[in-house]
Amino acid sequence: LTVLNIASGFVVLSAVYTQTQALGGWGLGEVIVLLGTFQVVSGIFTTCVEPNLSWFAGQVRDGKLDSILVQPVSSLFLISLGRCEPLALSQVAMGLLVVGLGLHDGGTLPSWWGVLGWLVLIGVGLVIAWASRVLIASVSLWVPSIELDVLYSALWQFGRYPVEVYRQPLRFFLTYVLPFAFLATFPARALTGRTSLLLPLLGIAAACMAIVMVQLVWKAGLRRYTSATS
């Protein structure tokens, strides 16, 4: 499935770049780097986060959340990072291969700062993705009947392409409201030498704010939550 997913991305890109030399200011090699970066982030996210929060509303309705809340560790950690599926790391390996192909195609040799910025911004993107996933799942603490997993999966796919290709206000939304630009666009910019030193610092600040926001919302949701077994 990982190979088919990446292959479909290449098919789309080949169709687009037969008609143009640049997509939103991005050359073919740069977009391939972005596609590979997206696969790396997706692989880590699918390994560590998604197995825990899939169909969270159903866990709330069935009372399975109760057993987590009585554990002597952070309930937020257990509910969002307590399980993992290592097989999904195959996406990371394939993503790194695609990144290498993109750098070769674009004739780009990344600097040490570019690699460091790429790694930092990938970390930022993962924190923001985790935070947004928890926030969407937390809606179920107020309204257990709502299932938003499919909506989140659809929104996730917007990170596959540069944010520059989207029109306003969608571009603003993906950059500042639900900043999926950190999933692949900003890290790819860093690796290809298209960003400033300020972006990783801003990303770290955004990640810290996201963590604080998640903790506040989670605690508020737990105060609202009524045990299904009570």
Side-chain angles (χ1 to χ4, degrees), residues 171-213:
R171 185 189 303 178
F172 179 88
F173 178 81
L174 294 174
T175 304
Y176 300 104
V177 180
L178 190 63
F180 279 178
F182 281 101
L183 295 183
T185 298
F186 291 162
R189 281 183 186 175
L191 194 60
T192 55
R194 298 184 51 186
T195 190
S196 66
L197 301 177
L198 185 60
L199 183 58
L201 297 178
L202 292 175
I204 292 173
C208 291
M209 292 175 59
I211 292 173
V212 172
M213 182 182 299

Tab-separated table of all heavy atoms in Angstrom, residues 171-213:
chain	number	residue	atom	x	y	z
A	171	ARG	N	-5.352	28.573	1.850
A	171	ARG	CA	-3.924	28.662	2.136
A	171	ARG	C	-3.689	29.228	3.539
A	171	ARG	O	-2.827	28.736	4.283
A	171	ARG	CB	-3.232	29.544	1.100
A	171	ARG	CG	-1.722	29.601	1.256
A	171	ARG	CD	-1.110	30.647	0.348
A	171	ARG	NE	-1.459	30.412	-1.051
A	171	ARG	CZ	-1.089	31.202	-2.041
A	171	ARG	NH1	-0.362	32.288	-1.790
A	171	ARG	NH2	-1.445	30.922	-3.282
A	172	PHE	N	-4.448	30.261	3.895
A	172	PHE	CA	-4.325	30.841	5.234
A	172	PHE	C	-4.702	29.816	6.298
A	172	PHE	O	-4.035	29.684	7.329
A	172	PHE	CB	-5.233	32.074	5.346
A	172	PHE	CG	-5.202	32.732	6.694
A	172	PHE	CD1	-4.269	33.712	6.979
A	172	PHE	CD2	-6.116	32.384	7.686
A	172	PHE	CE1	-4.232	34.321	8.225
A	172	PHE	CE2	-6.097	32.978	8.927
A	172	PHE	CZ	-5.140	33.953	9.202
A	173	PHE	N	-5.768	29.052	6.045
A	173	PHE	CA	-6.238	28.045	7.000
A	173	PHE	C	-5.173	26.973	7.230
A	173	PHE	O	-4.911	26.578	8.380
A	173	PHE	CB	-7.524	27.409	6.464
A	173	PHE	CG	-8.080	26.323	7.347
A	173	PHE	CD1	-8.833	26.633	8.464
A	173	PHE	CD2	-7.848	24.985	7.032
A	173	PHE	CE1	-9.339	25.627	9.274
A	173	PHE	CE2	-8.349	23.975	7.841
A	173	PHE	CZ	-9.102	24.304	8.963
A	174	LEU	N	-4.517	26.514	6.167
A	174	LEU	CA	-3.530	25.440	6.279
A	174	LEU	C	-2.194	25.936	6.808
A	174	LEU	O	-1.328	25.118	7.148
A	174	LEU	CB	-3.327	24.776	4.919
A	174	LEU	CG	-4.529	24.013	4.353
A	174	LEU	CD1	-4.232	23.523	2.944
A	174	LEU	CD2	-4.883	22.834	5.260
A	175	THR	N	-2.027	27.249	6.878
A	175	THR	CA	-0.775	27.803	7.389
A	175	THR	C	-0.882	28.265	8.831
A	175	THR	O	0.034	28.055	9.632
A	175	THR	CB	-0.313	28.986	6.512
A	175	THR	OG1	-0.205	28.560	5.148
A	175	THR	CG2	1.039	29.511	6.971
A	176	TYR	N	-2.027	28.863	9.190
A	176	TYR	CA	-2.140	29.487	10.503
A	176	TYR	C	-3.213	28.879	11.410
A	176	TYR	O	-3.062	28.914	12.637
A	176	TYR	CB	-2.435	30.986	10.334
A	176	TYR	CG	-1.374	31.720	9.568
A	176	TYR	CD1	-1.579	32.096	8.241
A	176	TYR	CD2	-0.160	32.036	10.164
A	176	TYR	CE1	-0.603	32.768	7.524
A	176	TYR	CE2	0.835	32.708	9.451
A	176	TYR	CZ	0.605	33.071	8.130
A	176	TYR	OH	1.577	33.727	7.428
A	177	VAL	N	-4.284	28.339	10.865
A	177	VAL	CA	-5.370	27.802	11.692
A	177	VAL	C	-5.126	26.328	11.998
A	177	VAL	O	-5.016	25.917	13.154
A	177	VAL	CB	-6.737	28.005	10.999
A	177	VAL	CG1	-7.863	27.445	11.880
A	177	VAL	CG2	-6.968	29.481	10.712
A	178	LEU	N	-5.054	25.522	10.962
A	178	LEU	CA	-4.694	24.111	11.090
A	178	LEU	C	-3.397	23.953	10.297
A	178	LEU	O	-3.407	23.561	9.133
A	178	LEU	CB	-5.797	23.214	10.515
A	178	LEU	CG	-5.684	21.709	10.780
A	178	LEU	CD1	-5.773	21.421	12.274
A	178	LEU	CD2	-6.777	20.947	10.041
A	179	PRO	N	-2.253	24.264	10.929
A	179	PRO	CA	-1.011	24.479	10.165
A	179	PRO	C	-0.386	23.205	9.621
A	179	PRO	O	0.699	22.786	10.014
A	179	PRO	CB	-0.099	25.158	11.199
A	179	PRO	CG	-0.613	24.731	12.527
A	179	PRO	CD	-2.090	24.525	12.364
A	180	PHE	N	-1.066	22.587	8.660
A	180	PHE	CA	-0.534	21.410	8.007
A	180	PHE	C	0.615	21.751	7.075
A	180	PHE	O	1.241	20.846	6.513
A	180	PHE	CB	-1.642	20.694	7.230
A	180	PHE	CG	-2.512	19.822	8.094
A	180	PHE	CD1	-3.588	19.147	7.558
A	180	PHE	CD2	-2.261	19.676	9.447
A	180	PHE	CE1	-4.391	18.337	8.345
A	180	PHE	CE2	-3.049	18.876	10.254
A	180	PHE	CZ	-4.123	18.203	9.702
A	181	ALA	N	0.895	23.044	6.894
A	181	ALA	CA	2.069	23.427	6.111
A	181	ALA	C	3.344	22.912	6.771
A	181	ALA	O	4.362	22.705	6.105
A	181	ALA	CB	2.136	24.945	5.969
A	182	PHE	N	3.289	22.674	8.090
A	182	PHE	CA	4.455	22.147	8.795
A	182	PHE	C	4.668	20.658	8.545
A	182	PHE	O	5.712	20.120	8.904
A	182	PHE	CB	4.323	22.393	10.301
A	182	PHE	CG	4.666	23.788	10.723
A	182	PHE	CD1	3.674	24.713	10.990
A	182	PHE	CD2	5.988	24.188	10.852
A	182	PHE	CE1	3.977	26.005	11.380
A	182	PHE	CE2	6.313	25.474	11.243
A	182	PHE	CZ	5.310	26.399	11.507
A	183	LEU	N	3.683	19.978	7.965
A	183	LEU	CA	3.844	18.552	7.713
A	183	LEU	C	4.913	18.287	6.658
A	183	LEU	O	5.727	17.375	6.817
A	183	LEU	CB	2.517	17.936	7.250
A	183	LEU	CG	1.360	17.928	8.243
A	183	LEU	CD1	0.160	17.221	7.634
A	183	LEU	CD2	1.775	17.259	9.541
A	184	ALA	N	4.900	19.046	5.582
A	184	ALA	CA	5.837	18.782	4.498
A	184	ALA	C	6.344	20.044	3.814
A	184	ALA	O	7.512	20.114	3.439
A	184	ALA	CB	5.187	17.864	3.463
A	185	THR	N	5.485	21.049	3.634
A	185	THR	CA	5.892	22.241	2.882
A	185	THR	C	7.081	22.935	3.526
A	185	THR	O	8.112	23.175	2.875
A	185	THR	CB	4.719	23.228	2.763
A	185	THR	OG1	3.646	22.616	2.045
A	185	THR	CG2	5.153	24.483	2.020
A	186	PHE	N	6.976	23.268	4.802
A	186	PHE	CA	8.055	23.992	5.469
A	186	PHE	C	9.325	23.147	5.621
A	186	PHE	O	10.439	23.649	5.387
A	186	PHE	CB	7.585	24.512	6.824
A	186	PHE	CG	6.555	25.620	6.718
A	186	PHE	CD1	5.757	25.954	7.805
A	186	PHE	CD2	6.384	26.321	5.551
A	186	PHE	CE1	4.809	26.965	7.720
A	186	PHE	CE2	5.441	27.341	5.436
A	186	PHE	CZ	4.654	27.661	6.533
A	187	PRO	N	9.233	21.858	6.033
A	187	PRO	CA	10.459	21.048	6.066
A	187	PRO	C	11.135	20.923	4.697
A	187	PRO	O	12.363	20.982	4.606
A	187	PRO	CB	9.953	19.678	6.562
A	187	PRO	CG	8.722	19.988	7.330
A	187	PRO	CD	8.087	21.133	6.602
A	188	ALA	N	10.334	20.742	3.638
A	188	ALA	CA	10.919	20.628	2.300
A	188	ALA	C	11.607	21.925	1.885
A	188	ALA	O	12.644	21.910	1.217
A	188	ALA	CB	9.844	20.248	1.290
A	189	ARG	N	11.021	23.051	2.280
A	189	ARG	CA	11.666	24.330	1.996
A	189	ARG	C	13.041	24.389	2.648
A	189	ARG	O	14.014	24.850	2.044
A	189	ARG	CB	10.812	25.479	2.530
A	189	ARG	CG	9.633	25.872	1.674
A	189	ARG	CD	8.952	27.074	2.305
A	189	ARG	NE	7.720	27.445	1.645
A	189	ARG	CZ	6.911	28.395	2.091
A	189	ARG	NH1	7.217	29.055	3.209
A	189	ARG	NH2	5.802	28.690	1.443
A	190	ALA	N	13.122	23.943	3.898
A	190	ALA	CA	14.397	23.989	4.618
A	190	ALA	C	15.440	23.111	3.937
A	190	ALA	O	16.601	23.502	3.779
A	190	ALA	CB	14.191	23.550	6.068
A	191	LEU	N	15.046	21.914	3.520
A	191	LEU	CA	16.003	20.976	2.933
A	191	LEU	C	16.489	21.443	1.570
A	191	LEU	O	17.622	21.145	1.179
A	191	LEU	CB	15.351	19.596	2.817
A	191	LEU	CG	16.287	18.423	2.529
A	191	LEU	CD1	17.338	18.285	3.631
A	191	LEU	CD2	15.513	17.131	2.390
A	192	THR	N	15.646	22.163	0.857
A	192	THR	CA	16.030	22.653	-0.471
A	192	THR	C	16.566	24.079	-0.442
A	192	THR	O	16.739	24.701	-1.489
A	192	THR	CB	14.826	22.580	-1.434
A	192	THR	OG1	13.714	23.294	-0.873
A	192	THR	CG2	14.420	21.139	-1.673
A	193	GLY	N	16.809	24.619	0.755
A	193	GLY	CA	17.412	25.939	0.883
A	193	GLY	C	16.502	27.085	0.552
A	193	GLY	O	16.957	28.137	0.094
A	194	ARG	N	15.192	26.924	0.815
A	194	ARG	CA	14.227	27.965	0.463
A	194	ARG	C	13.606	28.628	1.688
A	194	ARG	O	12.541	29.201	1.582
A	194	ARG	CB	13.115	27.370	-0.391
A	194	ARG	CG	13.569	26.787	-1.699
A	194	ARG	CD	12.390	26.306	-2.511
A	194	ARG	NE	11.366	27.343	-2.636
A	194	ARG	CZ	10.179	27.144	-3.197
A	194	ARG	NH1	9.874	25.951	-3.669
A	194	ARG	NH2	9.305	28.126	-3.291
A	195	THR	N	14.264	28.555	2.826
A	195	THR	CA	13.675	29.138	4.019
A	195	THR	C	14.726	29.881	4.816
A	195	THR	O	15.930	29.747	4.574
A	195	THR	CB	13.033	28.037	4.891
A	195	THR	OG1	12.262	28.650	5.937
A	195	THR	CG2	14.100	27.159	5.538
A	196	SER	N	14.268	30.644	5.797
A	196	SER	CA	15.172	31.437	6.628
A	196	SER	C	15.427	30.738	7.951
A	196	SER	O	14.778	29.745	8.287
A	196	SER	CB	14.577	32.829	6.885
A	196	SER	OG	13.390	32.711	7.671
A	197	LEU	N	16.384	31.268	8.715
A	197	LEU	CA	16.694	30.713	10.030
A	197	LEU	C	15.540	30.891	11.008
A	197	LEU	O	15.452	30.178	12.006
A	197	LEU	CB	17.943	31.392	10.602
A	197	LEU	CG	19.229	31.285	9.771
A	197	LEU	CD1	20.334	32.081	10.442
A	197	LEU	CD2	19.645	29.836	9.612
A	198	LEU	N	14.652	31.838	10.704
A	198	LEU	CA	13.585	32.173	11.641
A	198	LEU	C	12.484	31.112	11.675
A	198	LEU	O	11.851	30.908	12.714
A	198	LEU	CB	12.986	33.534	11.266
A	198	LEU	CG	11.928	34.123	12.211
A	198	LEU	CD1	12.521	34.327	13.598
A	198	LEU	CD2	11.393	35.428	11.656
A	199	LEU	N	12.265	30.419	10.559
A	199	LEU	CA	11.134	29.500	10.479
A	199	LEU	C	11.193	28.370	11.502
A	199	LEU	O	10.185	28.088	12.160
A	199	LEU	CB	11.014	28.944	9.059
A	199	LEU	CG	9.814	28.020	8.813
A	199	LEU	CD1	8.504	28.739	9.117
A	199	LEU	CD2	9.808	27.515	7.376
A	200	PRO	N	12.338	27.673	11.685
A	200	PRO	CA	12.365	26.637	12.721
A	200	PRO	C	12.070	27.173	14.121
A	200	PRO	O	11.410	26.494	14.922
A	200	PRO	CB	13.793	26.079	12.633
A	200	PRO	CG	14.211	26.353	11.230
A	200	PRO	CD	13.579	27.679	10.896
A	201	LEU	N	12.536	28.381	14.406
A	201	LEU	CA	12.264	28.968	15.725
A	201	LEU	C	10.774	29.259	15.889
A	201	LEU	O	10.186	28.985	16.940
A	201	LEU	CB	13.079	30.250	15.908
A	201	LEU	CG	14.605	30.075	15.895
A	201	LEU	CD1	15.291	31.438	16.032
A	201	LEU	CD2	15.045	29.142	17.006
A	202	LEU	N	10.162	29.796	14.844
A	202	LEU	CA	8.721	30.028	14.885
A	202	LEU	C	7.964	28.710	15.000
A	202	LEU	O	6.945	28.615	15.697
A	202	LEU	CB	8.277	30.785	13.634
A	202	LEU	CG	8.762	32.230	13.499
A	202	LEU	CD1	8.343	32.817	12.153
A	202	LEU	CD2	8.217	33.085	14.640
A	203	GLY	N	8.475	27.687	14.324
A	203	GLY	CA	7.845	26.380	14.405
A	203	GLY	C	7.897	25.804	15.804
A	203	GLY	O	6.906	25.233	16.289
A	204	ILE	N	9.039	25.939	16.465
A	204	ILE	CA	9.163	25.440	17.846
A	204	ILE	C	8.192	26.171	18.761
A	204	ILE	O	7.540	25.561	19.620
A	204	ILE	CB	10.617	25.607	18.340
A	204	ILE	CG1	11.543	24.660	17.558
A	204	ILE	CG2	10.717	25.329	19.828
A	204	ILE	CD1	13.012	24.861	17.851
A	205	ALA	N	8.063	27.489	18.580
A	205	ALA	CA	7.108	28.261	19.380
A	205	ALA	C	5.681	27.792	19.117
A	205	ALA	O	4.876	27.641	20.046
A	205	ALA	CB	7.247	29.747	19.069
A	206	ALA	N	5.353	27.538	17.848
A	206	ALA	CA	4.008	27.054	17.499
A	206	ALA	C	3.745	25.683	18.110
A	206	ALA	O	2.637	25.400	18.590
A	206	ALA	CB	3.853	26.996	15.983
A	207	ALA	N	4.759	24.814	18.116
A	207	ALA	CA	4.602	23.484	18.708
A	207	ALA	C	4.357	23.575	20.213
A	207	ALA	O	3.518	22.842	20.758
A	207	ALA	CB	5.840	22.635	18.417
A	208	CYS	N	5.077	24.458	20.874
A	208	CYS	CA	4.878	24.637	22.324
A	208	CYS	C	3.468	25.151	22.617
A	208	CYS	O	2.819	24.680	23.566
A	208	CYS	CB	5.926	25.604	22.870
A	208	CYS	SG	7.612	24.957	22.863
A	209	MET	N	3.003	26.086	21.820
A	209	MET	CA	1.642	26.594	21.997
A	209	MET	C	0.610	25.488	21.762
A	209	MET	O	-0.393	25.394	22.476
A	209	MET	CB	1.399	27.755	21.040
A	209	MET	CG	2.195	29.009	21.356
A	209	MET	SD	1.965	30.307	20.107
A	209	MET	CE	0.198	30.560	20.196
A	210	ALA	N	0.875	24.634	20.782
A	210	ALA	CA	-0.051	23.535	20.494
A	210	ALA	C	-0.129	22.561	21.660
A	210	ALA	O	-1.214	22.081	22.019
A	210	ALA	CB	0.393	22.807	19.226
A	211	ILE	N	1.007	22.267	22.288
A	211	ILE	CA	1.022	21.356	23.430
A	211	ILE	C	0.220	21.934	24.587
A	211	ILE	O	-0.575	21.230	25.232
A	211	ILE	CB	2.477	21.070	23.866
A	211	ILE	CG1	3.193	20.257	22.776
A	211	ILE	CG2	2.508	20.327	25.201
A	211	ILE	CD1	4.674	20.072	23.029
A	212	VAL	N	0.415	23.222	24.865
A	212	VAL	CA	-0.321	23.870	25.949
A	212	VAL	C	-1.814	23.859	25.654
A	212	VAL	O	-2.640	23.556	26.535
A	212	VAL	CB	0.184	25.315	26.147
A	212	VAL	CG1	-0.711	26.064	27.141
A	212	VAL	CG2	1.626	25.308	26.650
A	213	MET	N	-2.187	24.156	24.421
A	213	MET	CA	-3.602	24.185	24.050
A	213	MET	C	-4.240	22.802	24.212
A	213	MET	O	-5.364	22.673	24.724
A	213	MET	CB	-3.758	24.660	22.605
A	213	MET	CG	-5.204	24.765	22.144
A	213	MET	SD	-5.328	25.289	20.406
A	213	MET	CE	-4.538	26.903	20.508
